[in-house]
Amino acid sequence: AAAGKLLVVPVDGSHWLSMRELLDLLQQKGHEVVVVAPEVTFHIKPAKNLRIKMYPVPFTQEELDEVP
């Protein structure tokens, strides 16, 4: 079997929590996974076993935390 390269642009929230498990499994199978996410998020955070490329956004973590 051959491994592939995946570029993932996830949606924050529960979608990410479900996707994270899938990405871990794909990496275990030899796939190269790169996640592109905003610097400020609810759940998407850097991890040692996941390659994440962050991009700047025009708001802060504090402003995001104030959103109901």
Side-chain angles (χ1 to χ4, degrees):
K5 294 182 178 186
L6 299 164
L7 177 63
V8 180
V9 183
V11 174
D12 204 359
S14 63
H15 290 81
W16 168 248
L17 299 176
S18 300
M19 181 179 283
R20 177 67 195 267
E21 292 182 34
L22 176 62
L23 297 178
D24 287 339
L25 290 171
L26 288 168
Q27 282 187 314
Q28 290 174 16
K29 299 287 184 182
H31 297 278
E32 181 182 340
V33 178
V34 176
V35 177
V36 177
E39 289 177 328
V40 177
T41 67
F42 285 115
H43 298 292
I44 305 169
K45 304 296 180 204
K48 63 181 178 183
N49 64 337
L50 193 58
R51 192 166 152 204
I52 299 181
K53 301 281 187 171
M54 305 295 252
Y55 60 88
V57 291
F59 51 89
T60 66
Q61 186 69 49
E62 292 78 24
E63 291 171 324
L64 182 63
D65 292 341
E66 291 176 4
V67 175

